[in-house]
Amino acid sequence: MNQVADILQLAFDARQQHVDAVLATVVRTEGSAYRKPGAMMLICEDGRSVGMISGGCLEPHIIKRAFWLTRHGASVQVYQTGDEQEEDLEDELEEKLDNDAIDFAVDLEDELNFGLGCNGKVHVLFERLSSAMPYLDLIQKVRQSGESTTVATLIRSNSSEVTVGTRVHLNASFLDDNKNSQEIPEQTTNLPKPVIDELSAYKVSKRHADYLVLKSLVANDNSSKNAIQTEWLVQRVQPQIRLLVCGAGNDVMPLVTMAKLQDWHVTVIDSRPQYATRQRFPQADAALYVALDDSETLLKLSQNAAVALMSHSLSQDRARLAVLLKNANHCNYIGQLGPRYRTERLIKEISATCADPTALADGINQLHYPIGYKLGGDGPEALALSIIAQISAVVYEKVAVTKELAQPKASYE
């Protein structure tokens, strides 16, 4: 979820300033859609807004109607992006938008077609900040702790007793493969127990956001049972990608900039204190002096992080790489800057000083060198783009489009 930091900041500011706001969240998509479920946009009553739930086509309508759509509470709207006659559609939409007497988009069944030719549907949950704030606070907690969590958001129900927008916090951390079910903490909810039980047994897929339909039998007072159907967005809320850059040279600056544009958490370290400073890296979340023999700090900072070794110093790279290769499963990614022969020299030297060289095998197999994809271009900016692309592909478990992307850069051969 990009722009999350901006949404959280604006929500915090609005709450402090007693300014009302509406959170719009994509809860389901069908067919082609620009944003995935979980994408958010925050609209304040004073005109401020941040975030995107489409490519820019739905936002003007949403800004204009967000408060009206939530006047009776949370609601889910469906927007079509199929083919239509755009001129006729514009007139029809304007007539609807300007006529408050027409309750044209309160129910899920009412759909607006924007005639964009994308042939998809976007389901959007609208809710006031007062009800959305616990969810935003949870996202902030995930970002601070680095621990993911799973949340189910109710999109629709055939029971009037169940409120659209109800959220159930399914678990406090990433599920262990050995667990068969999730534990739901005690909470105040209007959900029947059978629904909660079915939610507790569900395990979200690797897509991290699933559309789930539950058909539950709920007992009545007269011992009969009613069928309740509920529709959910089950979402694993993920922490930011954490990037640790070992080396604070000038070529690290565009890498930090691009990483922050992706909303990554970025730490820059160097054994030269005059290099790793806030003045040189104001966009980084941290710029730290870390001595070469401080393995404890290196391991702490690299926990569940993507690590880019790019100090242009043999002694620095050798010291950092020796620790990381022995603890390869500690990181999500390790990449070494420099030509292939340079990295192979480092590996040979590290192996020669290791009591058990076989302990480095997993790390060597996971090491990406030369770092980044061969995308073309020259200079620090092109290098930064190639590193960002490779880390994203590895973290999100995507395969390179072609073998050419994974080949060494010509400048390093």
Side-chain angles (χ1 to χ4, degrees):
M1 296 185 291
N2 295 336
Q3 302 174 314
V4 174
D6 294 335
I7 291 172
L8 294 175
Q9 185 61 55
L10 182 56
F12 175 80
D13 292 344
R15 181 168 56 177
Q16 293 294 107
Q17 298 160 6
H18 304 288
V19 173
D20 201 4
V22 173
L23 180 69
T25 306
V26 176
V27 291
R28 185 188 175 195
T29 60
E30 299 176 74
S32 177
Y34 185 79
R35 298 302 306 275
K36 297 179 181 179
M40 300 182 296
M41 180 179 185
L42 188 68
I43 305 101
C44 292
E45 62 182 351
D46 60 9
R48 291 176 292 173
S49 66
V50 68
M52 294 179 66
I53 62 169
S54 74
C57 43
L58 301 182
E59 282 73 10
H61 161 77
I62 286 171
I63 290 173
K64 186 174 183 178
R65 307 305 287 180
F67 283 89
W68 185 80
L69 291 171
T70 54
R71 68 195 188 283
H72 299 312
S75 67
V76 174
Q77 311 304 317
V78 183
Y79 300 97
Q80 295 191 45
T81 58
D83 296 326
E84 286 286 342
Q85 296 296 323
E86 294 190 19
E87 293 183 2
D88 296 339
L89 180 65
E90 272 188 30
D91 294 339
E92 180 184 347
L93 286 177
E94 282 303 317
E95 180 181 351
K96 288 181 176 181
L97 294 177
D98 292 336
N99 189 354
D100 281 352
I102 300 177
D103 199 7
F104 70 93
V106 171
D107 298 321
L108 184 63
E109 300 300 334
D110 294 322
E111 299 177 358
L112 289 178
N113 195 323
F114 281 72
L116 302 172
C118 300
N119 296 321
K121 290 184 180 180
V122 182
H123 300 241
V124 182
L125 168 67
F126 293 87
E127 54 189 327
R128 291 293 174 96
L129 184 60
S130 57
S131 62
M133 206 65 220
Y135 174 60
L136 295 177
D137 287 338
L138 179 63
I139 294 175
Q140 181 65 30
K141 183 178 179 181
V142 168
R143 291 164 68 89
Q144 291 173 346
S145 67
E147 295 288 334
S148 62
T149 190
T150 304
V151 175
T153 302
L154 183 63
I155 300 173
R156 190 186 188 192
S157 172
N158 63 356
S159 171
S160 59
E161 297 179 0
V162 183
T163 306
V164 169
T166 296
R167 288 191 174 90
V168 179
H169 184 193
L170 295 181
N171 67 314
S173 61
F174 200 84
L175 278 181
D176 188 281
D177 290 338
N178 295 323
K179 293 183 180 179
N180 296 318
S181 64
Q182 300 164 339
E183 296 181 358
I184 299 179
E186 293 184 6
Q187 53 191 291
T188 301
T189 178
N190 57 355
L191 292 174
K193 187 177 184 302
V195 177
I196 293 180
D197 290 342
E198 290 184 65
L199 279 175
S200 69
Y202 185 77
K203 188 173 182 180
V204 67
S205 71
K206 289 186 177 181
R207 293 192 303 270
H208 302 312
D210 295 340
Y211 169 66
L212 176 65
V213 178
L214 297 179
K215 296 179 180 179
S216 311
L217 291 177
V218 179
N220 291 328
D221 293 337
N222 57 9
S223 298
S224 63
K225 291 187 177 182
N226 286 342
I228 293 182
Q229 178 169 309
T230 53
E231 300 175 26
W232 299 86
L233 166 65
V234 184
Q235 178 188 7
R236 182 174 292 130
V237 182
Q238 299 276 62
Q240 296 167 277
I241 292 178
R242 304 181 72 85
L243 173 63
L244 173 64
V245 186
C246 299
N250 290 342
D251 57 348
V252 173
M253 294 176 181
L255 177 61
V256 172
T257 298
M258 290 187 187
K260 292 308 297 180
L261 285 173
Q262 297 294 317
D263 192 34
W264 293 6
H265 183 283
V266 183
T267 300
V268 179
I269 66 172
D270 203 295
S271 64
R272 300 161 293 186
Q274 71 274 21
Y275 276 63
T277 65
R278 294 296 299 172
Q279 290 75 19
R280 283 172 53 78
F281 298 98
Q283 290 180 296
D285 295 276
L288 307 170
Y289 161 74
V290 178
L292 293 184
D293 59 356
D294 189 354
S295 299
E296 182 179 351
T297 299
L298 177 61
L299 289 175
K300 180 179 179 180
L301 294 174
S302 60
Q303 176 74 45
N304 297 324
V307 183
L309 294 151
M310 46 193 307
S311 70
H312 299 278
S313 164
L314 281 171
S315 60
Q316 282 210 58
D317 286 348
R318 187 187 303 110
R320 309 290 194 204
L321 188 59
V323 175
L324 295 170
L325 290 181
K326 294 175 184 177
N327 300 274
N329 294 330
H330 188 80
C331 311
N332 292 331
Y333 167 97
I334 307 174
Q336 175 65 63
L337 179 71
R340 182 170 294 274
Y341 68 82
R342 179 183 184 273
T343 302
E344 290 174 349
R345 171 187 170 182
L346 288 171
I347 293 173
K348 184 177 180 180
E349 293 172 352
I350 293 169
S351 299
T353 60
C354 184
D356 180 14
T358 60
L360 305 176
D362 288 344
I364 294 172
N365 289 334
Q366 295 178 38
L367 181 63
H368 297 267
Y369 66 98
I371 195 172
Y373 285 147
K374 185 180 178 181
L375 301 179
D378 187 30
E381 292 77 15
L383 173 63
L385 179 61
S386 75
I387 295 172
I388 291 289
Q390 188 175 65
I391 293 175
S392 293
V394 172
V395 171
Y396 292 115
E397 299 180 344
K398 301 296 183 181
V399 179
V401 177
T402 66
K403 289 184 179 180
E404 180 71 12
L405 286 176
Q407 291 178 358
K409 300 175 183 60
S411 58
Y412 292 154
E413 292 175 343

